């Protein structure tokens, strides 16, 4: 039998000079490798491979795995979350994971036979089925083979759209739908991408801001996947049943027909003042996300108001220091 | 190079280290916030940057696997990384081999079954090479994957150990292992790059490329496994420090 | 581009279960090689290896070239491997897959880096002329463990090869006059490993000389190259199930045993071939005498 023994000299020392960040004397109570003290769960950060507990009362959730015989071990860097008897670890950073009901913004990456593949910044592209979109001609219009052949007249590669997650496939990827008039192709604006953790799920994801300085209204669509669309406010054109076209704001009258204008690729005329405000809102969103403030309706409204105020005070622009000051004022209010 | 130069009778190496001293190790995570994950590792004069993209939709349909995530590795040596400026061909066999080796290692270390039909791309850039490049790449990739939130079975920690042979002949003096070799030592000695995964010291990667006696291999492996454990502790320390800084900063925002 | 078919779930379960019970499909022991056959060609430097159904041919040739500018006293040694559709439908000509690159590198490292071939002896005129020895490996059939078969073939071919004699005033090529110097013959052992579902080390089964099916089901592999003097020339274990270093060492000792066996086998075959040639040459000579 072989035996591996260390050489007769002393065991390896730590390096002669080792980079040590400014150590936190009271911060790091890490329950690392010691597998003995597992009944008391570590309360701070856990790292991959770190044993959490052997107690059988816990069920293991996301971010953990089971080391035989009965040790629940973390698989990511993150914080422990305990929900009833479920023990999971939420990673500090991860890609957006779709949940049913999420409002997301995506870009068409591929056109397939009866569906599109949409990039939503998740682990896989989402699928948008032809049967899940509003076809011009009303909700009860039958899908024909002509529609399949002309699939690119609806959405083509590179188009941006806002949709809702209808269901999830077995591997976790999403299936989207745009079956309401508030979803669909996006125009007249710009896209800002922020980490998905910065856009929390909330009741209202569409925020309308009254543009300062004589500009029109600016609409912000906050996608839960971190894609934020800032544009001139949408006006949905709907054919009235009696004939004639009416530009309307209400989007709940599904019995009315949606016209082909829904899928138009033409941008409207956007005047310079509105464009400037759109850019300003984009700046606000970016700075908020950068400073770790979650972008929600209220915060966004306050942030925009302060940005306009700062501009009036002569402090135009939100780069660097100005951005930080803006955030401070937001947090203060 | 004669043996005495590599290891003096007093036990000092070319750069003044002893046989069991690692070089100065500097680690940083999240150096590139635009990537899913990133890390920069410097060990002495060897400096390696790792960027992670994913898990995301595979770039090629052929790369999609129905039951697991595909790991793609891209390894580049910067032309200014060595003493002489040299443009290394992507198809260079040595680089292809290193790519395959790293890809196989992480295909095992990452929990690929959790992300079927996705692809994780590990991009490694060797900014400066002074020995121990493979080990540095492995360590940098581990840190970057942790930063990206990719689930793994544990840390993959790698070290390079060289073997300075004994005097040989009658009354043979036993050779000595030397930890964390630099370029000069790597060119002359038999060198073992070894990576362990998890805490129990199991070997996930072992590459030896020059002649060493079988009995010496036993000692080499023992030293390597032990030092890999120490390197893992150092990586863990930096990961925790980084994680706590982020958690603190997040507490500032709403 | 046909891809090699993965074994069906049935086959997979059957083979794995048998392995955990210690049995292999062809009835071999876990650490036994398949029947190894080695034949040499008419001309020097051609070796034909059969390892079970795996078949590899190696051809060694030499020509005179200019040495590399940074190594004026050394000859040049190159190995080329090409996996083509003859070996297996999954391989494509021209496109180097990852497997091919690894295989080529493995053979190169084993023989070149470990200085099995003394390149200094290949020098003719320093800085101007030297021998370039070239080993071409052809894979004729893939039934697992091409690494071992290829290395045995190359090593045998190198030992078998005779390079022409050279005199410094121009080159007078005289056949069969000098032998290639291969001071340290090698053997390679390719050890695939199969792991159980528990992911526990207790369930690790180690095999030697896997067939194609066993190779497709493996969960990792380790290749150790050693020579008969007990020196390890290279170790290659990348990914796959993490191993206990003690188990690794035990496998390496096993490899050493096999290496010695195979080296002896090659030597035996070389000797037999030599005797055959001598007999043939003697016959020729005696014939010439009779014709007088």
């Amino acid at each position: 039998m072989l035996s591996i023994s260390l050489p007769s000299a002393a065991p390896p020392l730590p390096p002669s000079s080792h980079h040590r960040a400014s150590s936190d004397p009271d911060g790091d109570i890490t329950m690392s490798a010691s597998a003995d003290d597992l009944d008391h769960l570590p309360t701070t950060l856990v790292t991959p491979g770190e044993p959490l507990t052997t107690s059988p009362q816990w069920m293991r959730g996301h971010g953990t795995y089971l080391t035989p015989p009965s040790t629940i071990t973390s698989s990511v860097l993150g914080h422990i979350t305990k929900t009833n008897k479920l023990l999971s670890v939420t990673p500090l950073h991860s890609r957006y994971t779709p949940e049913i009901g999420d409002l997301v913004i995506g870009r068409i990456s591929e056109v397939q036979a009866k569906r599109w593949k949409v990039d939503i910044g998740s682990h896989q592209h989402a699928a948008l089925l032809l049967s899940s979109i509003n076809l011009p001609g009303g909700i009860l219009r039958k899908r024909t083979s002509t529609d399949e052949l002309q699939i690119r007249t609806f959405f083509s590669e590179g188009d941006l759209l806002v949709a809702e997650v209808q269901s999830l496939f077995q591997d976790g990827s999403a299936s989207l739908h745009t079956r309401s008039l508030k979803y669909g192709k996006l125009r007249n604006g710009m896209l800002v991408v922020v980490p998905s953790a910065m856009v929390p799920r909330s009741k209202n994801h569409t925020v309308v801001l009254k543009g300062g300085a004589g500009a029109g209204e600016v609409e912000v669509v906050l996608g839960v996947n971190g894609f934020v669309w800032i544009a001139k406010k949408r006006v949905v054109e709907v054919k009235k049943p009696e004939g004639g076209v009416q530009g309307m704001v209400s989007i709940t009258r599904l019995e009315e027909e949606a016209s082909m204008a829904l899928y138009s690729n033409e941008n409207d005329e956007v005047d310079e003042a509105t464009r400037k405000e759109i850019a300003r809102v984009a700046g606000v969103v970016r700075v908020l996300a950068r400073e770790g403030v979650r972008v929600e309706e209220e915060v966004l409204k306050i942030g925009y108001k302060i940005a306009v105020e700062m501009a009036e005070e002569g402090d135009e622009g939100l780069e660097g220091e100005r951005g930080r000051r803006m955030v401070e004022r937001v947090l203060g209010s | 190079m004669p043996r005495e130069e590599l290891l003096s009778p007093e036990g000092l190496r070319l750069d003044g280290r002893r046989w069991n001293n690692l070089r100065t190790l500097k680690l940083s995570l999240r150096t590139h916030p635009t990537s899913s994950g990133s890390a920069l590792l410097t060990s002495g004069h060897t400096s390696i940057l790792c960027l992670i993209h994913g898990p995301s939709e595979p770039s090629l349909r052929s790369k999609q696997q129905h039951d697991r995530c595909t790991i793609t590795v891209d390894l580049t040596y910067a032309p200014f990384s060595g003493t002489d400026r040299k443009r290394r061909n992507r198809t260079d066999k040595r680089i292809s081999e290193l790519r395959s080796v790293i890809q196989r290692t992480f295909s095992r270390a990452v929990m690929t079954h959790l992300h079927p039909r996705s692809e994780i791309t590990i991009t490694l850039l060797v900014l400066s090479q002074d020995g121990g490049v493979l080990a540095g790449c492995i360590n940098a990739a581990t840190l970057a994957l942790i930063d990206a939130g990719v689930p793994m079975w544990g840390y993959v920690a790698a070290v390079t150990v060289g073997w300075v042979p004994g005097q040989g002949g009658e009354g043979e003096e036993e050779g000595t292992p030397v930890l964390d070799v630099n370029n000069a030592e790597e060119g002359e000695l038999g060198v073992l790059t070894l990576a362990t995964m998890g805490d129990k010291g199991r070997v996930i990667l072992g590459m030896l490329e020059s002649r060493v006696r079988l009995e010496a291999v036993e000692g080499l492996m023992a030293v390597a496994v032990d030092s890999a454990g120490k390197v893992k502790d150092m990586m863990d320390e930096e990961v925790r420090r980084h994680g706590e800084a982020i958690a603190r900063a997040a507490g500032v925002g709403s | 581009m046909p891809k090699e078919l993965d074994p069906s779930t049935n086959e997979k379960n059957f083979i794995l279960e048998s392995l955990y019970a210690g049995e292999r499909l062809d009835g071999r022991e876990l650490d036994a090689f398949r029947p190894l056959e080695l034949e040499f060609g008419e001309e020097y430097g051609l070796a034909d290896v059969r390892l079970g159904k795996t078949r590899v041919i190696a051809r060694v040739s030499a020509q005179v070239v200019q040495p590399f500018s940074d190594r004026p006293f050394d000859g040049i040694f190159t190995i080329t491997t090409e996996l083509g559709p003859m070996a297996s439908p999954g391989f494509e000509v021209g496109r180097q897959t990852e497997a091919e690159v690894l295989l080529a590198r493995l053979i190169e490292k084993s023989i070149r880096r470990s200085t099995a071939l003394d390149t200094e002896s290949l020098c003719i005129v320093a800085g101007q002329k030297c021998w370039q020895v070239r080993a071409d490996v052809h894979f004729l059939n893939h039934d697992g463990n091409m690494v071992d078969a290829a290395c045995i073939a190359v090593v045998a071919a190198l030992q078998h090869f005779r390079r022409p004699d050279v005199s410094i005033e121009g080159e007078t090529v005289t056949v069969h006059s000098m032998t290639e110097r291969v001071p340290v013959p090698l053997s390679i052992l390719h050890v695939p490993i199969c792991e159980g579902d528990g992911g526990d080390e207790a369930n690790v089964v180690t095999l030697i000389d896997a067939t194609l099916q066993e190779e497709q089901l493996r969960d990792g592999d380790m290749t150790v190259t050693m020579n008969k003097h007990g020196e390890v020339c290279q170790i290659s274990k990348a990914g796959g199930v993490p191993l206990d270093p003690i188990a690794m060492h035990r496998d390496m000792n096993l490899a050493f045993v096999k290496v010695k066996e195979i080296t002896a086998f090659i030597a035996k075959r070389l000797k037999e071939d030599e005797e055959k040639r001598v007999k043939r040459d003697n016959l020729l000579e005696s014939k010439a005498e009779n014709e007088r």
Side-chain angles (χ1 to χ4, degrees):
Chain A
M1 269 316 280
L2 295 168
S3 62
I4 292 190
S5 55
L6 288 173
S8 46
L13 299 172
S16 37
S17 71
H18 162 52
H19 168 74
R20 220 170 259 282
S22 57
S23 43
D24 216 47
D26 48 2
D28 311 358
I29 334 145
T30 47
M31 314 281 287
S32 49
S34 73
D36 331 318
D37 200 359
L38 286 174
D39 288 326
H40 174 241
L41 286 176
T43 49
T44 55
L45 225 45
V46 291
T47 55
E50 181 176 338
L52 300 176
T53 179
T54 48
S55 173
Q57 58 159 318
W58 295 102
M59 287 194 303
R60 60 167 206 85
H62 288 306
T64 64
Y65 65 92
L66 195 66
T67 311
S70 56
T71 315
I72 298 184
T73 320
S74 167
S75 63
V76 287
L77 168 68
H79 295 280
I80 296 189
T81 3
K82 302 172 221 171
T83 342
N84 295 331
K85 289 289 176 195
L86 188 68
L87 185 63
S88 41
V89 179
T90 14
L92 284 185
H93 291 290
S94 68
R95 289 207 146 211
Y96 166 65
T97 326
E99 301 286 333
I100 296 182
D102 283 349
L103 183 148
V104 294
I105 293 176
R107 195 186 289 274
I108 305 283
S109 66
E110 208 185 319
V111 180
Q112 293 178 345
K114 286 187 207 171
R115 62 186 199 167
W116 295 272
K117 282 290 196 181
V118 186
D119 180 6
I120 55 170
S122 177
H123 304 298
Q124 292 175 61
H125 288 338
L128 174 64
L129 301 173
L130 183 55
S131 50
S132 305
I133 68 168
N134 274 336
L135 295 166
I139 190 173
L140 294 174
R141 169 143 129 39
K142 187 165 166 15
R143 211 172 71 247
T144 65
S145 50
T146 324
D147 290 324
E148 288 164 27
L149 291 172
Q150 292 182 328
I151 191 170
R152 279 202 170 75
T153 58
F154 304 121
F155 291 111
S156 181
E157 288 91 342
D159 285 343
L160 274 174
L161 58 103
V162 55
E164 186 183 20
V165 176
Q166 181 175 40
S167 60
L168 298 177
F169 292 107
Q170 203 189 21
D171 55 13
S173 59
S175 180
L176 306 175
H177 79 89
T178 58
R179 276 217 168 276
S180 162
L181 290 175
K182 66 182 178 195
Y183 302 131
K185 195 179 281 198
L186 293 170
R187 283 179 287 275
N188 308 327
M190 65 184 285
L191 183 71
V192 173
V193 179
V194 299
S196 61
M198 290 295 123
V199 183
R201 294 179 173 99
S202 68
K203 282 234 171 77
N204 183 22
H205 283 273
T206 313
V207 182
V208 177
L209 299 167
K210 274 222 155 17
E217 287 181 308
V218 174
E219 185 182 39
V220 182
V221 183
L222 299 162
V224 178
N225 56 340
F227 287 28
V228 177
W229 178 252
I230 305 154
K232 173 177 147 191
K233 186 149 165 21
R234 271 179 300 174
V235 167
V236 180
E237 260 188 31
V238 174
K239 271 211 221 75
K240 278 164 59 164
E242 311 85 59
V245 173
Q246 173 203 343
M248 61 163 270
V249 172
S250 163
I251 50 178
T252 51
R253 289 154 70 166
L254 293 172
E255 66 272 17
E256 304 209 357
E257 297 177 358
S259 72
M260 228 8 231
L262 266 184
Y263 296 108
S264 149
N265 284 325
E266 294 277 321
N267 273 334
D268 301 335
E269 183 68 34
V270 182
D271 60 83
E272 191 179 323
T274 315
R275 287 179 200 232
K276 208 163 164 199
E277 295 315 301
I278 290 177
R280 198 191 305 282
V281 175
V284 170
V285 171
R286 278 202 204 98
V287 170
L288 285 173
R290 196 185 67 207
E291 298 298 321
V293 179
R294 284 209 268 268
V295 183
E296 287 175 294
E297 180 172 9
E298 279 313 308
V299 176
L300 192 54
K301 285 188 169 151
I302 298 172
Y304 179 62
K305 197 176 80 171
I306 292 178
V308 170
E309 278 172 21
M310 282 171 68
E312 282 164 7
E313 290 159 18
D315 213 5
E316 186 73 69
L318 288 169
E319 323 78 51
E321 256 318 301
R322 290 201 207 99
R324 264 188 282 277
R325 265 184 275 136
M326 183 216 93
V327 174
E328 278 166 31
R329 285 170 67 167
V330 169
L331 294 175
S333 57
Chain B
M1 199 170 291
R3 183 192 178 274
E4 298 74 48
E5 276 192 40
L6 290 173
L7 191 67
S8 76
E10 301 88 40
L12 294 175
R13 291 148 74 171
L14 282 171
D15 48 7
R17 285 185 286 154
R18 299 206 168 267
W19 72 269
N20 55 3
N21 287 140
L22 291 168
R23 289 179 289 184
T24 316
L25 189 65
K26 291 203 190 81
L27 308 164
S28 353
L29 278 87
R30 204 139 201 105
T31 50
H32 290 66
T34 41
S35 294
S36 309
S38 50
L40 177 66
L41 175 144
T42 309
S43 172
H45 289 300
T46 297
S47 196
I48 298 173
L49 175 66
C50 180
L51 300 171
I52 304 287
H53 181 71
S56 58
E57 185 84 10
S59 48
L60 291 171
R61 185 56 62 84
S62 55
K63 283 206 182 152
Q64 215 179 48
Q65 286 172 285
H66 72 279
D67 58 348
R68 66 189 66 178
C69 178
T70 315
I71 309 253
T72 306
V73 176
D74 190 25
L75 172 65
T76 325
Y77 277 71
F80 46 81
S81 57
T83 357
D84 297 319
R85 189 186 172 85
K86 190 171 152 192
R87 259 291 216 49
R88 250 163 269 250
N89 207 349
R90 271 270 174 82
T91 52
D92 181 55
K93 277 218 176 123
R94 175 126 182 79
I95 295 187
S96 292
E97 188 196 8
L98 287 178
R99 267 213 306 270
S100 294
V101 162
I102 296 171
Q103 191 247 3
R104 284 182 172 198
T105 307
F106 285 102
S107 295
R108 195 58 169 74
V110 169
M111 298 172 79
T112 50
H113 63 279
L114 291 180
H115 294 300
R117 296 203 169 86
S118 309
E119 185 184 18
I120 296 179
T121 309
I122 304 178
T123 307
L124 289 154
L125 181 60
V126 180
L127 297 167
S128 166
Q129 42 155 329
D130 187 24
V133 168
L134 176 57
C137 286
I138 301 271
N139 293 335
T142 301
L143 290 173
L145 284 166
I146 293 177
D147 182 42
V150 173
M152 300 215 285
W153 298 99
Y155 282 80
V156 184
V159 283
T160 338
V161 192
W163 180 258
V164 181
Q167 300 294 32
E170 311 304 325
E172 177 174 321
E173 186 191 304
E174 239 190 50
T176 327
V178 285
L179 263 189
D180 199 5
V181 293
N182 57 28
N183 244 351
E185 290 167 335
E186 212 172 48
E188 295 293 325
L189 304 172
V191 165
L192 170 71
T193 303
L194 188 134
T196 57
M197 185 170 85
D199 286 324
K200 301 214 188 79
R202 301 251 176 263
V203 177
I204 191 173
L205 168 78
M207 305 286 288
L208 176 74
E209 288 187 356
S210 324
R211 271 188 305 178
V212 178
R213 293 205 58 82
L214 183 57
E215 302 84 45
V217 173
E218 186 179 355
L220 263 188
M221 277 175 50
V223 170
V225 168
D226 200 81
S227 337
K230 300 267 183 321
V231 169
K232 183 243 168 190
D233 289 337
M234 287 193 264
M235 292 204 288
D236 193 45
E237 196 184 317
E238 175 60 29
V239 166
R240 278 181 205 280
R241 194 201 62 80
H242 170 81
E244 297 196 357
I246 292 192
R248 262 197 302 273
V252 168
S254 65
Chain C
M1 174 178 63
K3 216 179 86 155
E4 225 172 61
L5 273 181
D6 289 327
S8 64
T9 317
N10 272 348
E11 283 178 304
K12 184 170 161 185
N13 290 339
F14 182 67
I15 295 179
L16 283 178
E17 274 174 39
S18 320
L19 286 173
Y20 297 138
E23 296 192 11
R24 290 167 87 161
L25 225 55
D26 50 9
R28 277 188 284 157
E29 292 293 322
L30 295 179
D31 61 355
F33 259 79
R34 283 171 286 184
L36 174 62
E37 278 167 40
L38 172 60
E39 274 168 29
F40 294 101
E42 274 293 314
E43 65 276 36
Y44 281 111
L46 180 70
D48 181 349
V49 171
R50 258 181 257 246
L51 191 57
K53 286 202 224 148
T54 301
R55 190 166 170 199
V56 178
I57 286 189
R59 178 93 172 80
V60 174
S61 55
Q63 65 176 85
V64 180
V65 295
Q66 204 175 29
F68 290 133
S69 46
D70 53 344
R71 285 175 179 274
F73 299 106
D74 281 335
I76 304 173
F77 176 55
T78 47
I79 305 178
T80 59
T81 56
E82 215 176 85
L83 290 165
M86 193 195 289
S88 161
F91 298 134
E92 260 187 22
V93 182
R95 252 177 32 106
Q96 278 228 319
T97 60
E98 178 210 332
E100 285 182 56
V101 172
L102 283 179
L103 185 59
R105 278 290 298 170
L106 202 70
I107 302 177
E108 231 181 306
K109 273 196 286 185
S110 310
I111 296 181
R112 213 186 320 147
R113 294 274 304 243
S114 62
T115 60
L117 181 62
D118 186 8
T119 42
E120 276 191 30
S121 68
L122 299 174
C123 178
I124 304 170
V125 177
Q128 286 175 34
K129 291 199 191 296
C130 72
W131 284 110
Q132 178 189 30
V133 174
R134 198 195 145 100
D136 289 299
V137 186
H138 301 278
F139 297 91
L140 301 182
N141 197 34
H142 178 27
D143 189 28
N145 203 11
M146 296 220 280
V147 177
D148 278 358
C151 282
I152 296 175
V154 174
V155 165
L158 279 174
Q159 287 182 285
H160 189 244
F161 182 65
R162 305 280 179 267
R163 72 168 159 81
D165 192 10
V166 182
S167 51
I168 304 292
E169 274 79 29
E171 268 111 57
T172 326
V173 178
T174 320
V175 190
H176 314 322
S177 49
M178 286 185 85
T179 52
E180 199 72 71
R181 227 194 335 144
V182 183
V184 186
L186 310 176
S187 224
I188 296 210
L189 210 51
H190 192 78
V191 183
I193 303 153
C194 291
E195 193 201 0
D197 290 329
D200 196 25
E201 298 63 47
N203 289 349
V204 174
V205 175
T206 314
L207 305 175
I208 288 190
D209 190 25
T211 60
L212 181 59
Q213 267 183 333
E214 291 167 341
E215 236 175 47
Q216 284 169 326
L217 300 173
R218 71 176 166 205
D219 197 10
D221 60 84
M222 180 170 82
T223 307
V224 180
T225 310
M226 302 181 57
N227 59 32
K228 66 178 190 215
H229 302 299
E231 291 172 323
V232 176
C233 302
Q234 72 93 34
I235 298 175
S236 180
K237 179 197 168 13
V241 56
L243 292 178
D244 186 356
I246 300 181
M248 277 176 78
H249 207 74
R250 185 191 62 216
D251 293 332
M252 285 195 252
N253 276 298
L254 176 62
F256 188 32
V257 170
K258 294 289 168 190
V259 161
K260 285 192 280 200
E261 280 174 28
I262 293 179
T263 314
F265 175 78
I266 297 179
K268 191 173 88 163
R269 278 276 185 271
L270 279 168
K271 196 150 152 273
E272 285 170 9
D273 180 72
E274 183 64 33
E275 285 165 6
K276 241 184 9 193
R277 280 176 193 275
V278 168
K279 227 193 269 178
R280 198 181 60 220
D281 292 343
N282 282 345
L283 276 172
L284 281 170
E285 282 178 24
S286 55
K287 249 199 186 163
E289 275 174 9
N290 282 344
E291 269 174 33
R292 187 167 38 92

